[in-house]
């Protein structure tokens, strides 16, 4: 009986000759400028112009300027990530995990728009909302600033090194890894935007908010774990295609992103614990008030009978 050695099957991405990402790559500055202008128009003329006030009324108008900006930003970031997921899911999965499709594959049969074109656009959309947040928000934690700045530079660098004359041989798979980071960010960092919006709308519903923040903590932690597994699997599966610089830098970058995401999970865990404490205090005050009210009723009844 002849025994054949079993070799692991290469992943589709490791066998592709991906080539240039997109003909739109040299126009990245124009694309991100358009994204930022759209963010401004949506923020200034639609959200702050009339929509936020009509939807939330006094809840919004009574906020401080600091909280208003954060509230508006979470709406823009959340809505943009939903659009990214809807538009980018098919191109991302096709190029990263399916056999055959590459950056030059038409988005729709017979269309001049390619999968790479769509990936370039959604990458600039994700980078754009981080730039918008850095400029628009009045207060950001140092960890959030480092995460956003790192995402902006790494995402743009992955596109830049694919262009002539820099054109690095492993720039295309580095761009795909950046898309993996972006995809997990869009999926698992979407609900936290909803959580903060709910926190501003229902500040006194402590039991409800504790559940929302606990769910946010678990989703961000799950996202970090899943992202690490998928990213390192792709990274290891294409080990022979990486140059030494990328073999060193890529895990360090992922470690930095993971640290920022873990910090976010810890923040939601602390918010969950605080809402639990507020709920216990509210229950205690309600119980004390009920006991005091019951004693007053008993005293009144006894005096009335006498």
């Amino acid at each position: 009986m002849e025994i054949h050695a079993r070799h692991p099957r290469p992943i589709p991405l490791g066998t592709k000759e991906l080539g240039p990402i997109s003909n739109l790559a040299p126009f990245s500055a124009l694309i991100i400028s358009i994204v930022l202008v759209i963010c401004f128009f949506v923020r200034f003329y639609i959200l702050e112009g009339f929509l936020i006030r009509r939807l939330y009324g006094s809840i919004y108008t009574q906020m401080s300027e600091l909280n208003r900006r954060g509230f508006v930003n979470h709406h823009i970031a959340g809505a943009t990530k939903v659009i990214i997921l809807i538009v980018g899911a098919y191109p991302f999965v096709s190029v990263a995990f399916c056999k055959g499709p590459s950056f030059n594959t038409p988005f729709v049969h017979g269309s001049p728009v390619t999968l790479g074109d769509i990936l370039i656009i959604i990458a600039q959309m994700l980078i754009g909302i981080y730039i918008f947040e850095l400029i628009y928000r009045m207060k950001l934690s140092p960890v959030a600033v480092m995460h956003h700045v790192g995402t902006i530079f790494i995402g743009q660098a992955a596109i830049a090194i694919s262009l002539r004359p820099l054109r690095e041989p492993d720039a295309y798979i580095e761009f795909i890894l950046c898309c993996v980071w972006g995809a997990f960010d869009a999926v698992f960092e979407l609900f936290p935007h909803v959580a903060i919006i709910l926190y501003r709308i229902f500040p006194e519903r402590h039991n409800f908010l504790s559940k929302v923040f606990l769910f946010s903590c678990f989703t961000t932690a799950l996202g970090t774990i899943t992202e690490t597994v998928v990213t390192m699997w792709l990274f290891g599966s294409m080990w022979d295609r990486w140059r030494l610089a990328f073999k060193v830098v890529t895990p360090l970058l992922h470690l930095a992103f993971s640290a920022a995401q873990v910090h976010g999970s810890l923040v939601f865990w602390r918010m969950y614990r605080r809402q639990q404490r507020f709920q216990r205090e509210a229950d205690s005050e309600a119980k004390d008030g009920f006991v005091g009210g019951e004693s007053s009723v008993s005293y009144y009844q006894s005096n009335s009978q006498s």
Side-chain angles (χ1 to χ4, degrees):
M1 183 177 186
E2 185 178 359
I3 300 177
H4 297 280
R6 300 183 62 182
H7 299 282
R9 298 175 61 185
I11 63 171
L13 183 60
T15 61
K16 293 181 181 179
E17 293 296 332
L18 293 175
I21 298 173
S22 166
N23 291 331
L24 296 180
F27 303 96
S28 294
L30 175 61
I31 296 171
I32 200 166
S33 298
I34 294 172
V35 170
L36 291 172
V37 169
I38 292 174
C39 286
F40 165 76
F41 278 111
V42 170
R43 189 272 297 179
F44 190 78
Y45 289 106
I46 298 178
L47 293 180
E48 292 181 344
F50 66 93
L51 187 58
I52 287 283
R53 286 181 173 83
R54 289 190 180 182
L55 288 176
Y56 303 108
S58 60
I59 294 175
Y60 174 74
T61 56
Q62 293 176 3
M63 290 181 187
S64 65
E65 183 65 19
L66 175 67
N67 291 338
R68 282 186 188 181
R69 292 200 175 201
F71 194 66
V72 171
N73 181 79
H74 283 297
H75 280 78
I76 293 176
T80 304
K81 287 182 179 179
V82 170
I83 296 172
I84 289 173
L85 290 174
I86 293 173
V87 176
Y90 166 67
F92 167 67
V93 173
S94 297
V95 175
F97 301 105
C98 297
K99 294 181 178 179
S102 64
F103 291 128
N104 294 323
T105 302
F107 182 60
V108 179
H109 182 68
S111 172
V113 179
T114 66
L115 300 182
D117 295 339
I118 301 298
L119 290 176
I120 285 288
I121 292 172
I122 63 172
Q124 297 299 346
M125 289 174 65
L126 186 64
I127 293 170
I129 61 175
Y130 285 139
I131 295 176
F132 177 80
E133 183 170 352
L134 290 176
I135 296 171
Y136 180 66
R137 292 284 295 271
M138 295 178 64
K139 184 178 180 181
L140 282 170
S141 70
V143 175
V145 171
M146 289 188 292
H147 174 270
H148 291 6
V149 171
T151 301
I152 293 165
F153 281 137
I154 294 165
Q156 296 291 37
I159 297 173
I161 62 177
S162 70
L163 303 174
R164 289 192 176 94
L166 292 177
R167 187 162 291 177
E168 297 286 344
D170 40 12
Y172 315 123
I173 51 178
E174 178 69 15
F175 177 75
I176 289 296
L177 279 188
C178 289
C179 289
V180 171
W181 287 324
F184 278 96
D185 185 276
V187 172
F188 290 99
E189 298 293 330
L190 177 60
F191 187 79
H193 294 298
V194 178
I196 300 301
I197 292 172
L198 293 174
Y199 174 58
R200 297 303 180 192
I201 299 174
F202 308 110
E204 302 300 325
R205 296 183 58 180
H206 304 302
N207 187 48
F208 170 70
L209 290 175
S210 67
K211 295 177 181 177
V212 169
F213 291 143
L214 182 62
F215 183 75
S216 299
C217 175
F218 284 152
T219 55
T220 52
L222 177 62
T224 302
I225 295 171
T226 311
E227 176 185 332
T228 300
V229 171
V230 174
T231 303
M232 291 299 104
W233 170 65
L234 287 173
F235 179 71
S237 299
M238 297 179 292
W239 182 259
D240 293 336
R241 297 187 64 173
W242 295 102
R243 292 195 307 159
L244 179 60
F246 286 90
K247 289 180 179 180
V248 175
V249 172
T250 301
L252 294 178
L253 293 176
H254 180 73
L255 183 62
F257 283 136
S258 298
Q261 291 163 346
V262 169
H263 176 266
S265 299
L266 293 176
V267 168
F268 279 114
W269 177 259
R270 289 194 290 268
M271 295 177 75
Y272 156 71
R273 296 294 299 272
R274 185 172 63 178
Q275 292 299 322
Q276 276 196 322
R277 186 176 71 252
F278 288 161
Q279 183 62 46
R280 287 194 297 268
E281 292 173 356
D283 292 341
S284 178
E285 291 176 1
K287 183 178 179 180
D288 292 342
F290 175 76
V291 171
E294 190 177 52
S295 301
S296 300
V297 171
S298 301
Y299 176 78
Y300 173 77
Q301 289 177 344
S302 63
N303 286 342
S304 298
Q305 292 174 356
S306 62

